Amino acid sequence: MTEYEKPQQIQLSDHFTYGKLIRFCLPPIAMTVLTQLYSVADGYFISNFIGKTAFAAINLIMPYICIIACVAPMLGAGGSALVAKSMGEGDDETANRYFTMAILLNAILGVLLTTLGLVFLRPIGVWMGATDEMMPYIVTYGGLFLLFLTSHIMQNIFQIFLSTAEKPKLGLILTVIAGFVDLVLNIILIVGFRMGVVGAALSTGIAQCIGTFVPLVYFLRPNSSRLRLVKTKIEWKPMLKACSNGASEFVSNISTSVVGAVYNLQLLRFAGENGVAAYGVLMYVQFIFVGVFIGYNIGSAPIISYHFGAQNKTELKSLLRKSLVLMTVTGCAMMIIAIALSDLLSMLYVGYDPALQEMTRYAFVVLATSFLLAGINIFASSYFTALNDGKTSAIVSFLRTFVFQVLTVLILPVFWKLDGIWWAITVAEVMTFVVVTIYLTNNKNQQDIKR
């Protein structure tokens, strides 16, 4: 990189205006949304070319797979906060060691969790209420997906660290390539060769390998980023600190998966297989909208951690204020867009079944109202992780993704039946917003006192 080019690159140490913050976070936002779009495409092919039962079966077992894979966001978010803080303190050597430890530990856990996942796959499917027709799809798709689990979680952690390394555009490029491969393989294996769920699982697994091996080679070689994989051994104290920092992401993924299972059980009770299929469509599409918030957090978190390490309180307050404004405006826009697209999206997925399509359309309109506050709530949890305050982050995340959602999905249907299930997420977001407001206000007061 020449002296002329160097100032053009946005660095973590910069002062961030709205424009610069958006430009830095745009690649991870696009990366996350594209990743979710590819998942949505997978769901489209499964639903339309394999069938409703296969689609419902895969959505029934997916929470179990997500629970097993939750180490990646934990080590990624927690490790990134630790690494960026070290960079802010001017200690690049320690930053590289922590980065390497997080990657190594993630790979080891991936292999161990693959084994455990395969052992308990069928019993979990039975426990979650899978019918005899669903079970073959669960065993086949789940088993193949788990064989690629290490690549899945390695891809996720590299996506997070590429932003920390000030290379978010590289993460976006890799996501585009991997997603294109996944899409092409879906067409070839599912539509062309009629390989069913085997083709769906292989398409996803092969694409994930791209997002694993390319960053691995990049960070092993001399590169122009702030990070590189180095020779080191795992030190448990900083890794436990990383896990503590990333506790909210771990809690969020575990909770979301468990709550997904609770939703499926309730929907089987109130609406049968159609309810599970409709919820599957909702989750696929919700991932796209929520992906905007998650992508913003991936981009903004290392900036916050850097300035926290540098003790730049003025910039931290500015980042918090700007982020809350952006999340509010984005949430309003996304609600409007989601409602406008509800009919089209439900028809795209389940247009072959008019009753299921109408159920899905109505549920998606209700779900869209949750986007108003979801961005602020998700950012708040990420903000405390970036400040290395894993405890507060975990509390917010646990309440949002588990406690409030379990309470609402169990209690509201008693009074409003199926409608209660669809409104549960929005009510849970409102309850979380109250908690988030209290924590952010207390944090601001503490900062003012310290000054």
Side-chain angles (χ1 to χ4, degrees):
M1 182 176 288
T2 67
E3 289 299 317
Y4 175 78
E5 295 173 323
K6 194 169 184 178
Q8 307 303 314
Q9 179 177 320
I10 300 176
Q11 299 179 328
L12 299 180
S13 56
D14 290 350
H15 166 65
F16 281 80
T17 60
Y18 277 107
K20 186 175 288 188
L21 187 58
I22 292 171
R23 289 200 306 275
F24 188 84
C25 293
L26 202 55
I29 289 173
M31 175 183 68
T32 308
V33 171
L34 282 172
T35 300
Q36 303 306 339
L37 274 173
Y38 300 136
S39 297
V40 168
D42 290 346
Y44 169 79
F45 283 106
I46 293 168
S47 180
N48 286 275
F49 292 94
I50 306 176
K52 180 172 67 176
T53 302
F55 185 63
I58 290 171
N59 283 290
L60 192 69
I61 200 61
M62 192 53 69
Y64 169 65
I65 295 174
C66 291
I67 288 174
I68 296 173
C70 66
V71 295
M74 175 181 69
L75 281 170
S80 173
L82 204 60
V83 169
K85 180 175 179 289
S86 298
M87 292 163 63
E89 294 168 344
D91 192 350
D92 285 353
E93 182 181 344
T94 298
N96 281 322
R97 286 194 300 108
Y98 288 168
F99 166 57
T100 305
M101 291 176 203
I103 297 298
L104 181 59
L105 184 57
N106 198 62
I108 294 171
L109 289 173
V111 175
L112 294 175
L113 290 169
T114 296
T115 305
L116 283 173
L118 290 170
V119 169
F120 292 102
L121 179 61
R122 180 180 286 273
I124 289 293
V126 173
W127 178 78
M128 294 180 73
T131 63
D132 292 339
E133 291 77 16
M134 291 180 179
M135 190 58 71
Y137 295 115
I138 287 175
V139 173
T140 302
Y141 182 88
L144 285 171
F145 193 101
L146 287 169
L147 289 176
F148 286 97
L149 182 68
T150 302
S151 288
H152 174 71
I153 65 176
M154 291 297 288
Q155 174 187 251
N156 287 342
I157 195 170
F158 275 130
Q159 286 178 341
I160 295 172
F161 273 113
L162 281 167
S163 289
T164 310
E166 298 177 343
K167 294 293 180 180
K169 291 182 181 179
L170 177 58
L172 174 59
I173 292 170
L174 291 175
T175 300
V176 171
I177 295 171
F180 180 74
V181 170
D182 185 23
L183 183 61
V184 170
L185 287 176
N186 270 320
I187 296 172
I188 294 172
L189 300 181
I190 298 177
V191 181
F193 290 115
R194 303 286 181 181
M195 293 177 65
V197 293
V198 173
L202 287 177
S203 300
T204 301
I206 293 170
Q208 288 169 347
C209 290
I210 296 173
T212 298
F213 291 109
V214 174
L216 182 62
V217 173
Y218 176 80
F219 284 118
L220 280 171
R221 297 170 57 84
N223 60 75
S224 59
S225 79
R226 294 287 300 269
L227 295 176
R228 187 181 173 189
L229 292 168
V230 296
K231 289 184 178 180
T232 188
K233 61 180 181 180
I234 295 178
E235 300 172 25
W236 293 109
K237 185 175 180 180
M239 286 303 94
L240 289 174
K241 175 63 175 174
C243 291
S244 174
N245 287 344
S248 64
E249 280 67 25
F250 179 80
V251 167
S252 176
N253 280 269
I254 289 282
S255 300
T256 300
S257 301
V258 172
V259 168
V262 175
Y263 268 85
N264 283 328
L265 289 171
Q266 286 284 76
L267 285 164
L268 281 171
R269 175 186 171 194
F270 285 94
E273 189 177 285
N274 271 7
V276 175
Y279 181 67
V281 175
L282 260 63
M283 291 302 99
Y284 274 112
V285 180
Q286 184 198 34
F287 289 157
I288 298 175
F289 289 89
V290 174
V292 174
F293 301 134
I294 295 174
Y296 178 82
N297 291 340
I298 291 174
S300 63
I303 303 171
I304 295 168
S305 294
Y306 184 95
H307 288 284
F308 175 70
Q311 291 296 299
N312 190 345
K313 295 179 181 178
T314 301
E315 186 67 15
L316 282 175
K317 291 178 68 174
S318 173
L319 287 166
L320 174 60
R321 183 178 64 255
K322 290 181 173 68
S323 295
L324 291 176
V325 170
L326 288 172
M327 292 299 95
T328 300
V329 173
T330 304
C332 293
M334 282 170 47
M335 182 188 71
I336 295 170
I337 294 170
I339 292 174
L341 293 177
S342 59
D343 192 54
L344 175 63
L345 292 170
S346 59
M347 181 178 66
L348 181 67
Y349 267 90
V350 291
Y352 53 79
D353 187 327
L356 177 57
Q357 180 186 341
E358 177 55 28
M359 177 187 291
T360 304
R361 184 204 63 78
Y362 173 76
F364 194 61
V365 169
V366 174
L367 176 70
T369 61
S370 69
F371 298 148
L372 278 172
L373 298 177
I376 295 174
N377 294 338
I378 293 171
F379 170 76
S381 178
S382 174
Y383 177 73
F384 287 110
T385 297
L387 295 180
N388 284 250
D389 185 358
K391 179 181 177 181
T392 300
S393 180
I395 291 172
V396 171
S397 182
F398 184 63
L399 290 174
R400 174 181 175 267
T401 60
F402 186 77
V403 176
F404 293 152
Q405 286 206 45
V406 168
L407 287 175
T408 53
V409 79
L410 291 178
I411 294 173
L412 295 184
V414 174
F415 302 98
W416 296 291
K417 301 188 183 301
L418 186 58
D419 264 11
I421 298 177
W422 300 139
W423 280 102
I425 294 177
T426 299
V427 175
E429 293 289 1
V430 173
M431 296 166 73
T432 305
F433 180 73
V434 174
V435 174
V436 163
T437 302
I438 294 171
Y439 271 115
L440 288 178
T441 301
N442 287 341
N443 180 71
K444 179 180 181 299
N445 292 337
Q446 290 174 5
Q447 294 291 335
D448 290 340
I449 292 171
K450 288 178 181 179
R451 291 183 64 191

